[in-house]
């Protein structure tokens, strides 16, 4: 896996849905980035989601926002465009997607059965490596089955 080096420009993030919520941007956020409350936690403040740094994902930023500004977030049930974190590996439609640890922030990768984690939603499109595609936003905790 090779991480993308820059977040792509996504012109129209929201494909459908009206569950939009406003938060404060705790960092610069780009349209299409998955956002979450930072691990240190600040009331109603979101950051680009990065595995191991932020908490459970809340949704996808509909528009870009500067740090401290209001950011509109597409939440549960919305369909939005997101960016694949990996340059080479695609994501198949129908798979759960999770937040990636890519330094770019706000990117997704496919859920693999290695650990319990938070899913962002379900891929509705085949998303090519370094590409963008639609997901149904369904944040949830996915527990690895005990063996």
């Amino acid at each position: 896996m090779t991480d993308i080096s820059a977040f792509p420009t996504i012109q129209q993030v929201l494909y459908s849905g009206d569950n939009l919520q406003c938060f404060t941007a705790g960092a610069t956020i780009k349209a299409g980035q998955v956002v979450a409350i930072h691990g240190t936690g600040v009331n109603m403040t979101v950051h680009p989601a990065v595995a191991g740094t932020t908490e459970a994902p809340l949704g996808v930023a509909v528009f870009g926002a500067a740090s401290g500004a209001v950011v509109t977030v597409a939440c549960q049930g919305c369909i939005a465009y997101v960016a694949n974190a990996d340059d080479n590996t695609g994501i198949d439609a129908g798979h759960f997607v999770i937040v990636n640890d890519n330094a770019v922030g706000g990117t997704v990768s496919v859920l693999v059965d290695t650990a319990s984690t938070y899913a962002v939603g379900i891929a509705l499109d085949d998303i090519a490596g370094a590409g963008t595609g639609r997901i149904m936003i369904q944040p949830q905790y996915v527990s690895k089955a005990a063996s």
Side-chain angles (χ1 to χ4, degrees):
M1 179 175 141
T2 305
D3 286 345
I4 61 173
S5 58
F7 195 86
T9 299
I10 303 176
Q11 295 294 337
Q12 184 174 345
V13 173
L14 186 64
Y15 180 79
S16 70
D18 59 3
N19 185 8
L20 306 177
Q21 305 297 324
C22 292
F23 296 91
T24 300
T28 300
I29 295 174
K30 296 182 179 180
Q33 284 185 309
V34 175
V35 296
I37 303 292
H38 196 276
T40 58
V42 176
N43 293 345
M44 295 294 287
T45 301
V46 295
H47 292 254
V50 176
T53 301
T54 54
E55 296 299 327
L58 296 174
V60 177
V62 177
F63 308 104
S67 182
V70 173
V71 61
T72 302
V73 177
C75 295
Q76 178 82 30
C78 290
I79 296 174
Y81 284 89
V82 295
N84 185 343
D86 190 302
D87 270 333
N88 304 310
T89 305
I91 299 169
D92 289 332
H95 286 130
F96 279 106
V97 293
I98 61 172
V99 173
N100 192 275
D101 64 357
N102 186 328
V104 171
T107 58
V108 299
S109 55
V110 70
L111 172 67
V112 292
D113 187 28
T114 58
S116 298
T117 189
Y118 290 99
V120 178
I122 300 171
L124 300 178
D125 296 324
D126 289 337
I127 306 173
T132 61
R134 292 172 291 187
I135 66 166
M136 170 74 73
I137 301 169
Q138 293 182 331
Q140 59 191 289
Y141 185 73
V142 179
S143 179
K144 180 181 177 182
S147 50

